[in-house]
Amino acid sequence: MKRFAKISGVVFLVIILLVFVYLSFNLEKEEAYTISMIELVGDVHLTPDQYFTYAKLNNKNNYSTLTLPIIKDRIEKHPYILNADVKYDGLNKVTVTIKEKSFDALILNRGNKYLITEKFELLPVLPFTRKIDCPVISNPKIEGGFKTFSLVKNQDDIILASKIITAVKLLDPALYQHLSEIDLRNGGDILFYLSSIDYPVVLGRGEEIRKVVYFNRLWSYLKNKDVNSIMSYIDLRFENYIYLGLAAENEHAEDGTI
């Protein structure tokens, strides 16, 4: 039995070796392909030409030196791209299907613009970037370094603003569509702006998510109402109360207990 087991083991190893030799032989014999055209699909934030220029794929005279792994590597090095699927379609054509990173917010800090992804990666806003349809986080209090291509999970103000944005998105997608800016005021009282009204919502500091929940309830009554035209602010800083500032009277009007 032992001898039989040894022979079986040797035969198995020989078969595995032959399979590897066969595969290697066939890979070496695979027909070489020539690339004369590259098509990119899935682009939103930049055009294919702009992605190709960054990846140095804009000169067709150099296509003869390219391979699929080289194209994939160059495309995926772009800061906006999460991954790329590169396929040879035949007839000398390659199709690159990209998936761009998801941008949670546009950050404005000391005159500089940055994009922050859902994984809290800080990216530069490249020239000709288009369709950045996300809220603005302005004037965050920055602790220590603040460098592009780094993670900003240690920046409390940015994390807080991201939580507020996420809370709004989960509570009411329609309200999220109106969310234009969260002004962190360098550590001061947080202001919350909607594109559909001309006045700020004052969140203050502390229990921000609870206040967003309360505002969402109030907004269901205020949206599309004429009263918005005479208001100067909504103040959520006081426990159990929401105050409405009336521009016409320049005074606080108590809305009631929560």
Side-chain angles (χ1 to χ4, degrees):
M1 289 295 292
K2 291 183 178 179
R3 183 178 178 184
F4 178 77
K6 289 181 179 179
I7 293 174
S8 299
V10 170
V11 172
F12 178 75
L13 289 175
V14 170
I15 293 173
I16 293 296
L17 181 60
L18 290 174
V19 170
F20 276 116
V21 171
Y22 173 80
L23 290 175
S24 300
F25 178 79
N26 278 276
L27 287 174
E28 290 175 359
K29 290 294 184 179
E30 183 181 348
E31 282 190 22
Y33 51 82
T34 301
I35 299 173
S36 60
M37 178 181 178
I38 303 175
E39 180 182 12
L40 186 141
V41 296
D43 55 290
V44 174
H45 300 305
L46 291 172
T47 65
D49 286 343
Q50 289 160 352
Y51 280 123
F52 286 155
T53 298
Y54 185 95
K56 297 181 180 179
L57 297 172
N58 53 327
N59 188 348
K60 292 186 177 182
N61 294 327
N62 297 330
Y63 281 7
S64 60
T65 64
L66 297 176
T67 63
L68 300 187
I70 289 175
I71 295 172
K72 178 179 176 67
D73 180 66
R74 290 189 186 181
I75 289 291
E76 288 186 337
K77 284 181 178 178
H78 195 285
Y80 286 4
I81 293 181
L82 182 63
N83 56 58
D85 181 34
V86 182
K87 292 184 178 179
Y88 181 69
D89 297 332
L91 300 177
N92 303 332
K93 179 186 174 184
V94 169
T95 298
V96 180
T97 303
I98 63 170
K99 181 178 181 181
E100 295 172 322
K101 295 176 182 177
S102 177
F103 301 147
D104 270 6
L106 175 69
I107 298 177
L108 302 181
N109 181 55
R110 299 179 180 178
N112 297 315
K113 295 181 180 180
Y114 307 91
L115 290 164
I116 183 171
T117 70
E118 59 185 0
K119 294 184 178 180
F120 299 105
E121 181 185 7
L122 193 68
L123 301 177
V125 179
L126 299 177
F128 308 109
T129 300
R130 59 186 184 176
K131 297 181 181 179
I132 306 179
D133 189 17
C134 55
V136 172
I137 298 174
S138 62
N139 304 311
K141 183 179 180 181
I142 302 300
E143 303 289 346
F146 196 66
K147 298 180 180 179
T148 52
F149 307 111
S150 65
L151 299 180
V152 291
K153 292 183 178 180
N154 62 330
Q155 300 293 344
D156 292 341
D157 252 14
I158 292 177
I159 297 300
L160 174 57
S162 295
K163 288 180 179 179
I164 293 172
I165 292 171
T166 301
V168 173
K169 187 185 298 187
L170 293 176
L171 281 169
D172 188 348
L175 177 61
Y176 172 76
Q177 293 299 318
H178 293 276
L179 177 59
S180 60
E181 181 182 354
I182 296 175
D183 187 352
L184 296 163
R185 303 179 71 198
N186 297 299
D189 284 335
I190 299 171
L191 302 183
F192 181 97
Y193 291 92
L194 301 179
S195 60
S196 53
I197 57 177
D198 296 327
Y199 55 83
V201 178
V202 186
L203 291 183
R205 291 275 174 168
E207 298 187 313
E208 294 86 1
I209 305 304
R210 178 181 65 84
K211 294 173 183 177
V212 169
V213 173
Y214 291 162
F215 173 73
N216 182 57
R217 295 175 185 172
L218 175 63
W219 181 245
S220 64
Y221 296 101
L222 286 179
K223 61 183 178 182
N224 302 322
K225 296 293 194 304
D226 291 338
V227 68
N228 287 296
S229 63
I230 62 170
M231 288 176 57
S232 59
Y233 64 85
I234 294 176
D235 196 338
L236 297 163
R237 289 176 296 175
F238 304 96
E239 186 175 0
N240 297 326
Y241 290 90
I242 294 177
Y243 289 92
L244 308 182
L246 301 181
E249 301 177 8
N250 193 27
E251 65 180 8
H252 292 176
E254 184 178 315
D255 179 73
T257 59
I258 302 173

